[in-house]
Amino acid sequence: QVQLVESGGGLVQAGGSLRLSCAASESVCSITTMGWYRQAPGNQRERELVASITNRGSTNYANFVKGRFTISRDIAKNTVYLQMNSLKPEDTGVYYCQCRMWPTDYWGQGTQVTVSS
């Protein structure tokens, strides 16, 4: 059972920065795509992709974070990062780390990011 542990969330003012980390308990996540998703406040909102990175380092970003967020990974540490700059109040939400596996993806417990205006 792969466990993902996120950290780095918190409260920040608009325009500020945060760096999220996600450490995987198993190295299997190092050979697959990992991603960050977020869920905005409100129970019915689905998780939306923020950014992903393949095992070869190819990245993909949602349009709403392009130019502001950077995803990276340290294969040796089984860890993926999300550097978030120029944060906006609409970036507020719970951020989840994902390790894409078949047939079931693995998810972290989430870390809260709150951006005040």
Side-chain angles (χ1 to χ4, degrees), residues 7-21 67-70 82-89 91 95 112-116:
S7 60
L11 173 64
V12 64
Q13 290 187 334
S17 298
L18 285 174
R19 188 191 192 208
L20 305 183
S21 299
R68 299 189 298 125
F69 292 9
T70 302
L82 186 67
Q83 178 67 44
M84 305 186 295
N85 299 328
S86 302
L87 283 162
K88 305 175 181 179
D91 292 320
Y95 283 68
Q112 177 70 44
V113 171
T114 303
V115 184
S116 63

Side-chain angles (χ1 to χ4, degrees), residues 6-51:
E6 300 111 332
S7 60
L11 173 64
V12 64
Q13 290 187 334
S17 298
L18 285 174
R19 188 191 192 208
L20 305 183
S21 299
C22 171
S25 63
E26 304 290 338
S27 60
V28 64
C29 290
S30 297
I31 61 172
T32 188
T33 296
M34 296 191 71
W36 286 97
Y37 287 72
R38 73 185 186 191
Q39 187 169 21
N43 294 334
Q44 302 303 318
R45 297 294 296 272
E46 295 184 355
R47 294 179 188 181
E48 56 185 354
L49 175 68
V50 175

Side-chain angles (χ1 to χ4, degrees), residues 40-87:
N43 294 334
Q44 302 303 318
R45 297 294 296 272
E46 295 184 355
R47 294 179 188 181
E48 56 185 354
L49 175 68
V50 175
S52 63
I53 185 168
T54 70
N55 59 323
R56 296 184 178 184
S58 296
T59 58
N60 179 49
Y61 295 93
N63 287 333
F64 53 78
V65 302
K66 283 183 179 178
R68 299 189 298 125
F69 292 9
T70 302
I71 189 170
S72 61
R73 67 192 302 174
D74 186 328
I75 297 294
K77 295 182 178 179
N78 301 327
T79 301
V80 64
Y81 305 96
L82 186 67
Q83 178 67 44
M84 305 186 295
N85 299 328
S86 302
L87 283 162

